[in-house]
């Protein structure tokens, strides 16, 4: 879900929906059979729409005018940091641009010199800005770049417990990156990743799994499911 131009936009399969200020839900665009929206991001006053490893990136203007890339620009995940738009090409290749995301030459480093987050065993689930850098969330870890732009796993426990949903719904709060995972809600900083979520209740019948969260009014609120 992304807030853009006073509305909330979210993807569901091939459909992009809009929820306006009156809580009216409408269909903004149907991308067609066989298409899947992988991610959304707001950048340079446009909504950027990633359609996966084999369908090109689209943009949407504030007037809801849609434009498809003619160049071979693909993405399975999007993010922003500083003034850059970031993308992941399947499975773990990261590049960025500062303008014209529909143009292939805008993206650096160019293929095959992209940054890589971990190996190719798992696709990147999401990209997030953390502490001025770009974090890559994968089923087997949360990867932060060092000064040489090498992405290192800050959550070694997730390398032992990989899960396709690890990292989805991650959020920043109180100076840390919080990563939902099968091993619990992890509070991740450089070199540290303790579990801090409701999973610590130690009740045999209390099997919660955090799916999302937000910092608000000096507290962290989480959305969890009972498994």
């Amino acid at each position: 879900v992304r807030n853009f131009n006073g509305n909330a936009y979210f993807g569901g399969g091939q459909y992009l929906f809009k929820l306006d200020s009156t809580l009216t839900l409408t269909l903004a665009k149907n991308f067609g059979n066989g298409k899947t929206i992988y991610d959304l991001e707001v950048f340079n006053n446009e909504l950027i729409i990633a359609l996966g490893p084999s369908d090109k990136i689209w943009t949407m203007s504030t007037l809801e005018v849609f434009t498809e890339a003619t160049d071979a620009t693909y993405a399975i995940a999007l993010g922003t940091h500083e003034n850059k738009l970031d993308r992941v090409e399947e499975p773990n290749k990261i590049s960025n641009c500062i303008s014209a995301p529909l143009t292939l030459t805008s993206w650096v480093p160019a293929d095959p010199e992209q940054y890589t987050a971990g190996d190719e065993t798992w696709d990147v689930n999401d990209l997030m800005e953390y502490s001025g850098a770009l974090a890559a969330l994968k089923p087997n870890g949360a990867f932060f770049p060092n000064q040489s732009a090498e992405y290192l796993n800050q959550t070694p426990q997730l390398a032992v417990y990989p899960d396709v949903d690890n990292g989805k719904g991650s959020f920043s709060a109180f100076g840390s990156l919080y990563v939902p995972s099968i091993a619990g809600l992890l509070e991740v900083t450089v070199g540290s990743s303790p579990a801090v979520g409701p999973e610590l209740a130690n009740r045999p019948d209390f099997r919660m799994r955090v799916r999302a969260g937000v910092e608000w009014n000096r507290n962290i609120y989480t959305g969890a499911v009972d498994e």
Side-chain angles (χ1 to χ4, degrees):
V1 179
R2 290 294 182 269
N3 294 322
F4 177 64
N5 197 35
N7 303 303
Y9 291 88
F10 58 96
Q14 69 194 56
Y15 303 106
L16 180 69
F17 297 96
K18 177 177 73 173
L19 186 67
D20 66 19
S21 59
T22 67
L23 301 183
T24 300
L25 182 67
T26 57
L27 178 64
K29 186 171 179 61
N30 177 358
F31 286 93
N33 291 336
K35 310 292 185 181
T36 301
I37 297 174
Y38 277 61
D39 205 357
L40 306 170
E41 192 59 73
V42 177
F43 179 71
N44 283 355
N45 208 31
E46 291 183 314
L47 184 67
I48 315 300
I49 306 160
L51 290 176
S54 57
D55 290 300
K56 298 171 183 177
I57 291 172
W58 288 67
T59 61
M60 186 194 79
S61 71
T62 55
L63 298 177
E64 291 192 0
V65 175
F66 291 85
T67 304
E68 182 184 13
T70 55
D71 289 353
T73 57
Y74 308 102
I76 62 171
L78 298 169
T80 57
H81 81 288
E82 299 174 340
N83 64 333
K84 301 179 179 69
L85 174 68
D86 306 283
R87 68 164 177 165
V88 177
E89 297 174 81
E90 191 181 38
N92 65 335
K93 298 177 180 179
I94 300 172
S95 56
N96 62 72
C97 69
I98 58 174
S99 64
L102 301 184
T103 303
L104 184 59
T105 54
S106 298
W107 294 95
V108 294
D111 187 55
E113 303 298 327
Q114 300 100 321
Y115 309 120
T116 55
D119 61 26
E120 297 185 357
T121 304
W122 298 96
D123 290 355
V124 173
N125 278 334
D126 202 1
L127 297 172
M128 285 196 64
E129 182 174 10
Y130 171 69
S131 192
L134 187 71
L137 291 311
K138 300 184 65 176
N140 65 331
F143 292 76
F144 293 176
N146 61 15
Q147 292 180 339
S148 300
E150 300 169 323
Y151 277 78
L152 307 177
N153 194 354
Q154 306 299 313
T155 55
Q157 63 270 58
L158 297 190
V160 181
Y161 299 107
D163 182 81
V164 292
D165 288 333
N166 284 345
K168 294 180 180 179
S170 296
F171 60 96
S172 295
F174 304 127
S176 297
L177 179 64
Y178 287 82
V179 178
S181 78
I182 198 170
L185 179 64
L186 307 181
E187 182 183 5
V188 183
T189 56
V190 176
S192 176
S193 58
V196 295
E199 305 89 353
L200 301 180
N202 292 323
R203 283 169 43 188
D205 60 344
F206 192 70
R207 299 182 180 90
M208 306 302 292
R209 181 165 180 181
V210 173
R211 295 294 183 174
V214 65
E215 175 191 340
W216 186 75
N217 196 25
R218 302 181 186 179
N219 291 285
I220 293 175
Y221 293 83
T222 61
V225 294
D226 186 352
E227 298 189 342

